[in-house]
Amino acid sequence: SASQIPGPLLDRMELIEVPGYTTYEKKAIAEDYLIPKVAEETGLSPDSVQFPNNIINSLIDEYCRDPGVRILKQKIESLFRQAAVDIVQKKSDKLILSKDNMRTLLGRPSFSITEAFKSSPPGVVAGLG
């Protein structure tokens, strides 16, 4: 937050605003809006796909790093469709997500936090790219 930067230093800086949601905001949007909406659209109850807290964070960090929530909604829709197929085929009555089955359902993660920092020499910053 720019409010914590001393005034004389702030005068000499150029602030760049980066629009988008934080991981915390995306998680709240997913829990309060996206999951119930997608459940209603697919005809399933919101409890048909169980998202433990750490799984929503993993979903956001590893698959949905865009500034908005469009890709997050697409991934949640994909998970509910997979659950609907399993329920119709009577394989299970609900889908409980874990890191292992999320990788099976959604494929290889699109982003890895650790790869960006593996070969960073001192003084080099991992960018948004």
Side-chain angles (χ1 to χ4, degrees):
S1 166
S3 63
Q4 298 175 353
I5 300 173
L9 178 59
L10 190 59
D11 289 343
R12 290 168 180 78
M13 292 176 57
E14 179 180 350
L15 292 181
I16 300 172
E17 295 290 328
V18 180
Y21 298 110
T22 64
T23 301
Y24 175 77
E25 292 168 331
K26 285 183 184 183
K27 181 179 177 188
I29 290 169
E31 290 173 340
D32 297 340
Y33 177 72
L34 295 177
I35 292 172
K37 182 177 184 216
V38 170
E40 182 181 328
E41 289 173 355
T42 56
L44 298 174
S45 70
D47 296 331
S48 296
V49 179
Q50 293 187 352
F51 292 87
N53 283 338
N54 61 339
I55 293 301
I56 294 178
N57 289 336
S58 295
L59 178 66
I60 292 167
D61 290 339
E62 296 175 4
Y63 294 92
C64 311
R65 299 274 301 272
D66 63 324
V69 292
R70 183 174 50 97
I71 295 176
L72 178 60
K73 182 181 179 202
Q74 291 171 354
K75 298 297 183 183
I76 292 171
E77 287 171 343
S78 175
L79 292 169
F80 269 91
R81 283 192 301 270
Q82 300 263 351
V85 169
D86 287 351
I87 290 170
V88 168
Q89 294 177 346
K90 304 210 187 296
K91 290 182 182 177
S92 66
D93 57 342
K94 64 181 165 183
L95 176 63
I96 301 172
L97 291 174
S98 68
K99 280 206 178 243
D100 294 333
N101 67 1
M102 192 166 65
R103 186 178 181 106
T104 304
L105 297 170
L106 296 176
R108 195 176 126 257
S110 304
F111 303 97
S112 175
I113 295 172
T114 56
E115 285 183 27
F117 298 106
K118 280 185 181 175
S119 63
S120 295
V124 176
V125 179
L128 296 174

